[in-house]
Structure formats: C-alpha cells, structure tokens
Amino acid sequence: GKGENIAMSFLFMPKCLANELDGLTYDVANCIVDSIYELTGKLCEIKLPNDIMWHGKKLGGILTEMTSFGNQIMHLVIGIGLNINQRTFPPEIKDIATSVSLITNMAWEREDFIITIYKKMKVMLQKYFETDCSE
C-alpha cells in the first residue's frame, strides 16, 4: 500500500571522473546494510551488483545512473528502493521479496531509514568527491 516503502533518489553534482566511481554501488549498499543493522539489529547481505537481501529474499535495491561529458561526470543519481512496512506481496514475488517489518515483526518509521542512510552516504561519498549535493 501507499506509504509503506521507500523509493528515493539523491542527485549529486560531483567534481570527479566517471572511472573514479568504480565501487560506488557496493558502497551505497553497505550504507544501507549498516543503516538497517543500526536501526534493527538485523544484518542483511549484499547480492552483487545492487540488491539488499535477507536470507535469500530481496529487501531492496540500488540504481545508479550518471550523465557524463567525456570522462567528466555532470550528474549522478543514486536511486534506492527499500521495503519497510509492506507485509504482503503479489503471488509472483512473495517467495523472493521481504521487508524490514516482516524480518523484525514490527512497524517502522520510514524517515528513520531515510535519515540514517543519507547520513552514512554523505560520509561515504566524501571519499569519491568533494561535492555540492542536493536531494
């Protein structure tokens, strides 16, 4: 239902080159895993290249897209989808999808995850670029 999950994008205007972003998706995944652990005590897994998993079921995913001019990056968009409070899934994905609510057996405030993930990403991204970022 509406308002159960998180689908968010962050827009960055990095001053760096495209080849300097190798490993970025994995680092974003780690920020999400760390955030879930910090908030819930549950340690999820990363399934390369871009899925967040809990015991073989998908909890979330990451999509990174960039526009570049030559090797110079103009825009970097990091999209994150995370199942938070959804407790029932359509038949075709119910065996392969899960949510934070299902794995902890309680409801959560989405804002707590958004804030925690964003804070960890801001710190992590500093190693890639000095940036003026806007959400």
Side-chain angles (χ1 to χ4, degrees), residues 27-47:
D27 285 343
V28 172
N30 265 314
C31 289
I32 297 170
V33 167
D34 289 350
S35 296
I36 293 169
Y37 183 72
E38 184 177 305
L39 291 164
T40 71
K42 302 289 186 184
L43 187 58
C44 296
E45 301 96 40
I46 298 169
K47 179 180 164 194

Side-chain angles (χ1 to χ4, degrees), residues 12 18-34 45-52 60-66 76-81 117 121 124-125 127-129:
F12 298 96
N19 59 302
E20 293 173 333
L21 290 182
D22 291 344
L24 177 72
T25 301
Y26 182 75
D27 285 343
V28 172
N30 265 314
C31 289
I32 297 170
V33 167
D34 289 350
E45 301 96 40
I46 298 169
K47 179 180 164 194
L48 295 173
N50 57 359
D51 288 339
I52 309 297
I62 301 150
L63 187 67
T64 51
E65 294 180 321
M66 61 182 86
L76 170 68
V77 178
I78 300 173
I80 296 171
I117 291 168
M121 276 192 9
M124 177 274 290
L125 285 167
K127 79 175 191 189
Y128 285 98
F129 48 76

Side-chain angles (χ1 to χ4, degrees), residues 6-132:
I6 293 171
M8 60 182 176
S9 293
F10 297 100
L11 170 66
F12 298 96
M13 323 278 267
K15 297 171 175 51
C16 70
L17 303 176
N19 59 302
E20 293 173 333
L21 290 182
D22 291 344
L24 177 72
T25 301
Y26 182 75
D27 285 343
V28 172
N30 265 314
C31 289
I32 297 170
V33 167
D34 289 350
S35 296
I36 293 169
Y37 183 72
E38 184 177 305
L39 291 164
T40 71
K42 302 289 186 184
L43 187 58
C44 296
E45 301 96 40
I46 298 169
K47 179 180 164 194
L48 295 173
N50 57 359
D51 288 339
I52 309 297
M53 308 293 289
W54 172 259
H55 293 257
K57 291 189 172 191
K58 186 170 171 176
L59 194 64
I62 301 150
L63 187 67
T64 51
E65 294 180 321
M66 61 182 86
T67 56
S68 58
F69 185 77
N71 197 30
Q72 176 66 52
I73 292 184
M74 312 306 277
H75 299 94
L76 170 68
V77 178
I78 300 173
I80 296 171
L82 198 56
N83 298 334
I84 303 293
N85 289 320
Q86 186 170 349
R87 296 190 67 89
T88 56
F89 291 90
E92 64 273 15
I93 61 165
K94 74 174 177 59
D95 294 331
I96 54 170
T98 191
S99 71
V100 175
S101 181
L102 284 172
I103 69 176
T104 59
N105 207 28
M106 59 180 279
W108 294 86
E109 291 290 334
R110 289 180 304 164
E111 291 77 10
D112 293 341
F113 290 88
I114 294 168
I115 292 164
T116 306
I117 291 168
Y118 178 65
K119 282 180 178 167
K120 290 185 188 306
M121 276 192 9
K122 256 175 78 160
V123 173
M124 177 274 290
L125 285 167
Q126 285 168 1
K127 79 175 191 189
Y128 285 98
F129 48 76
E130 293 304 311
T131 181
D132 306 310

